[in-house]
Amino acid sequence: MGVDVLLELAASMVPERVALGPHAGGMTFAELAERSAAGAGLLLAEGGRSVAYVGVNGPSFNVAVFASALAGLPMTPLNYRLPDGDLGALIDRLEDPVVLVDDDMRARLPGRQRLFSTAGWLAQTATAEPVSLPPPDDDAIAAVLFTSGTTAAPKGVVLRHGNLTSYVLQTVELLVADDEDCALVAVPPYHIAGVATVLTNTYAGRRMVHLPAFTAESWLDIAATESVSHAMVVPTMLARVVEHLEAATDAPKLPALRSIAYGGARISPSILERALAAFPAAGFVNAYGLTETSSTIAVLGPDDHRMAMGSDDPVWRARLASAGRAVPGIEFAVRDPYGALLPPGQTGELWVRGAQVAGEYVGLGTGLDAEGWFPTRDRAHIDADGYLFVEGRDDDTIIRGGENIAPAEVEDVLLTHPSVRDAAVVGLPDEEWGQQICAVVVLSASDTKATAEERAEIVRAYASSRLRSSRAPSSVLVWQELPYTPSGKLLRRTIIGSLTAESDNPIAATTDTPANGGS
């Protein structure tokens, strides 16, 4: 079953319901199906063997997803924020691509063959003849997505039709949305969430509106104007929205908003609690997944959020920081470095298995073991009731004096301080201990007259009072912002590079406090 069937089902059952754009005058599901079939013909006429999409999110991306599927061509949405050379290098790794590019980005790809404007191509789908083609096989490649490359060069993740449709069919009910439902899409197309959003909302029969460039003001405005009922954000977006709501007296109300999904990175407990207070009528969902798993594999649902917030039980309160439990069709296992299974509560590497798990890379083959298990390289533990707690990447582990320290456990403590809005912990070279623990924090606005140095020292002392000395940060530095990818992933490599560079920190002024010492 190809992903095109998801659209076919929706178009056959609610053909006149609006699929894209404003409720009045938007593109219906029947029109989306027709234009996708026409777009498939346009792509095939160019003779390429794959499709590259270089542009922001919008209706042209939705049509391109289904047109590529119908044409039997693997699609790759690319990170248009990359430097020109890096962007071109990724296109060169694709097989004879037809390139769909936004007009304002076209000059960045000089000399390319089969280069077409996304707007022009979309316009042509309204008049071109739809084509009828045999459906793609489950094993055919539907998409190739490049990883963000936060710790290494980007790898091309192969997602087959069977992987993507398995994810959708296991997690979404056909046409569960009603005619008034509307999803606000603010995540970029090149992230797995961007692709999954197209597929899941189409199968659910839910209208989609797009926000190509995020600001808190524009997000709130379009959510109000379009009566948005469902939204997916990364934690940095949610933080900006909450801060804007707290500062603005005239922010629009969102009575239709009843579901907010967040994911892609860790979220500050303070931000989450403030968001829950800002949107009391909305059900919050924490979604955890990887590109290699065709999106979400664990969910902390609205009931979990309500139970955790309303409970005095420390076990339940702790679950507010969890990724929730496995979605249907997914199995979890936590293993030690030798592959042995670990019992509940013990930290190791998370392995996952299920039909939606691809675990395959261009030029590298499969990353699955003989039994279909995929090593995520995420350190995690699972509690007795199956709630997953992700502690960070294996690559991020700090080794100090022979002791493994997950940055997340230090960050969790830092984020409980009322003045800390965001925090990142990294390991820096140390001759005596191998690595020292350095914390970089973003402080919230405060009326205090204390200097940045004094506030940083207060935060360091706070962490030291709550952590063993071997796990407390040796230094705390204050930055204006932390570096994130547009999909919300913390760029620890950028932080480490800035801290170890000989030149002044190019991101923000820092405050280095006295070393903690000891073990």
Side-chain angles (χ1 to χ4, degrees), residues 311 331 501:
S311 176
E331 299 175 79

Side-chain angles (χ1 to χ4, degrees), residues 147-180:
T147 60
S148 58
T150 57
T151 59
K155 292 188 290 187
V157 179
V158 176
L159 299 176
R160 299 183 183 273
H161 283 270
N163 301 131
L164 292 168
T165 55
S166 292
Y167 162 65
V168 175
L169 296 178
Q170 291 277 19
T171 59
V172 181
E173 184 179 343
L174 175 62
L175 299 180
V176 68
D178 60 39
D179 190 58
E180 298 303 316

Side-chain angles (χ1 to χ4, degrees), residues 68-131:
S68 300
L70 287 165
L73 302 176
M75 183 189 187
T76 301
L78 290 162
N79 184 352
Y80 51 84
R81 294 183 171 94
L82 290 172
D84 292 0
D86 293 348
L87 179 61
L90 291 183
I91 294 176
D92 289 340
R93 291 171 62 180
L94 302 177
E95 187 175 14
D96 297 331
V98 177
V99 182
L100 302 177
V101 58
D102 284 358
D103 288 335
D104 60 350
M105 303 179 193
R106 189 164 186 154
R108 300 179 57 196
L109 303 173
R112 291 278 171 187
Q113 301 297 314
R114 305 191 190 96
L115 193 70
F116 299 94
S117 157
T118 52
W121 178 81
L122 181 63
Q124 288 183 61
T125 64
T127 56
E129 189 69 25
V131 297

Side-chain angles (χ1 to χ4, degrees), residues 32 275 346 399 454 485:
L32 176 57
Q346 289 197 21
I399 304 176
E454 291 168 338
T485 68

